[in-house]
Amino acid sequence: PEPESRRERIYNFCLKYFVLSTWIIGAGCFLFGCFAWYKMKRQLKYVRGTQRSIRFMRKTYDKNMGTLLTLIPMDFTTMDVKEIKSILLPLCDVDDKHISMEALNEKCALWQSLIDLELPLNDIIDYEGNETLDIEDVTYFIAMLHYFLGQTRRKGTPSVRRQVRDDIYKMLESYSDDGVVRLKNMGSYACACFCLAIISPPNLGDETIGGQTLDEFKINYCKYMLRDEDMTDNDEITIRKFNFIYKICDFSIGLTPETRGQLSK
């Protein structure tokens, strides 16, 4: 056979390089697809498990409505959570803002009463799995659980969704010492939503999320949703800004299925 010409050698080299590159890119895309599928399946499993727990808790709420309305010190009209905060805050045993699961279960009479009614709260509140909770996260968790399960499920007309938004915003205002909603309040609201599957929670891994702790992640999550990476924990969140995160919430915990979706403008 005749020896290959220079052009043929260059052509064959480029062809081999192209085929090899195609295989490598294809394999990379396949592996990335498998990884994304696995992550999404884990997230979906968690969300569905939480939603099953919430459906069970609604039945428990319906059977013990009178007891629960008396037990949890929050009025649906004012959405004032100061009393819940005052119950939890003295129990902090990790630092001045965090409580361990052990202290929550052994020292908090309110939490013990909810557990005694067979509400599976311990299974869904500590999805990070490190046995440490932010008091503000727990306050909003209890308040929103009570707000949605302590009332009959409503049909989500635009006016009802706006009312839910306004009520939750009042809840955040009541927690703040000066009545101003700040980024840190919004972060704790997002964390409570992760626990209740109102917002799809992140896959936390063992202890960190991409090098972040949960407390860091929930703030950065809100910054991302607001498209403002320069915000600080104490920056004010107006109700207009609050809409950015509220619009992605799925309130099937308290609103009928047809209400899912974005808040009407």
Side-chain angles (χ1 to χ4, degrees), residues 4-255:
E4 293 181 337
S5 65
R6 182 180 179 186
R7 175 183 292 181
E8 289 174 331
R9 287 198 302 272
I10 294 174
Y11 173 79
N12 289 335
F13 174 79
C14 292
L15 180 61
K16 290 177 182 178
Y17 183 78
F18 174 77
V19 172
L20 179 62
S21 300
T22 302
W23 273 101
I24 291 173
I25 293 172
C29 291
F30 175 75
L31 291 174
F32 176 78
C34 292
F35 175 74
W37 173 82
Y38 172 72
K39 299 280 278 188
M40 291 176 65
K41 186 174 181 180
R42 285 191 63 185
Q43 293 299 88
L44 185 60
K45 181 179 179 181
Y46 174 84
V47 170
R48 286 179 173 172
T50 302
Q51 289 175 339
R52 283 195 298 271
S53 296
I54 288 170
R55 285 195 294 270
F56 171 78
M57 287 192 288
R58 178 167 287 281
K59 295 177 182 178
T60 303
Y61 246 84
D62 290 341
K63 289 190 295 185
N64 301 278
M65 186 64 74
T67 302
L68 287 162
L69 289 175
T70 304
L71 179 65
I72 299 178
M74 187 187 77
D75 185 272
F76 295 142
T77 304
T78 63
M79 293 298 291
D80 192 334
V81 295
K82 283 188 174 64
E83 288 191 55
I84 300 176
K85 176 183 177 181
S86 65
I87 292 171
L88 295 171
L89 204 56
L91 305 178
C92 289
D93 60 337
V94 178
D95 56 35
D96 60 344
K97 293 182 179 179
H98 293 82
I99 185 173
S100 66
M101 285 293 295
E102 182 180 1
L104 185 64
N105 280 280
E106 295 180 1
K107 298 179 181 179
C108 182
L110 171 60
W111 191 262
Q112 289 172 348
S113 298
L114 294 174
I115 297 299
D116 289 343
L117 292 173
E118 298 184 353
L119 295 174
L121 304 182
N122 288 326
D123 297 335
I124 61 177
I125 194 170
D126 184 30
Y127 69 89
E128 187 180 15
N130 68 352
E131 301 285 318
T132 301
L133 305 170
D134 188 313
I135 283 295
E136 188 170 359
D137 300 354
V138 180
T139 301
Y140 294 157
F141 175 87
I142 295 173
M144 288 199 294
L145 185 75
H146 187 56
Y147 174 74
F148 287 114
L149 299 188
Q151 304 180 77
T152 56
R153 296 186 77 189
R154 291 170 284 175
K155 186 174 181 179
T157 61
S159 60
V160 169
R161 292 200 296 271
R162 282 193 292 271
Q163 182 62 55
V164 171
R165 177 203 61 190
D166 293 343
D167 287 346
I168 291 176
Y169 193 78
K170 285 191 292 186
M171 175 186 74
L172 303 186
E173 287 179 322
S174 72
Y175 190 94
S176 176
D177 293 332
D178 56 3
V180 176
V181 179
R182 305 187 187 280
L183 182 64
K184 59 185 179 181
N185 305 123
M186 190 176 179
S188 286
Y189 163 74
C191 193
C193 288
F194 294 152
C195 295
L196 293 169
I198 292 172
I199 299 175
S200 182
N203 184 356
L204 302 181
D206 295 328
E207 296 180 355
T208 60
I209 317 156
Q212 303 174 79
T213 64
L214 176 59
D215 286 342
E216 292 169 339
F217 175 81
K218 64 188 183 186
I219 297 297
N220 290 331
Y221 177 86
C222 293
K223 288 180 182 180
Y224 172 79
M225 295 306 302
L226 294 170
R227 303 295 190 268
D228 188 350
E229 299 294 329
D230 296 325
M231 294 188 74
T232 64
D233 289 5
N234 290 316
D235 283 352
E236 182 178 357
I237 299 295
T238 63
I239 197 163
R240 183 182 180 87
K241 289 182 178 179
F242 182 66
N243 273 339
F244 281 94
I245 192 168
Y246 182 84
K247 286 181 179 181
I248 67 169
C249 294
D250 178 356
F251 288 112
S252 55
I253 181 177
L255 305 181

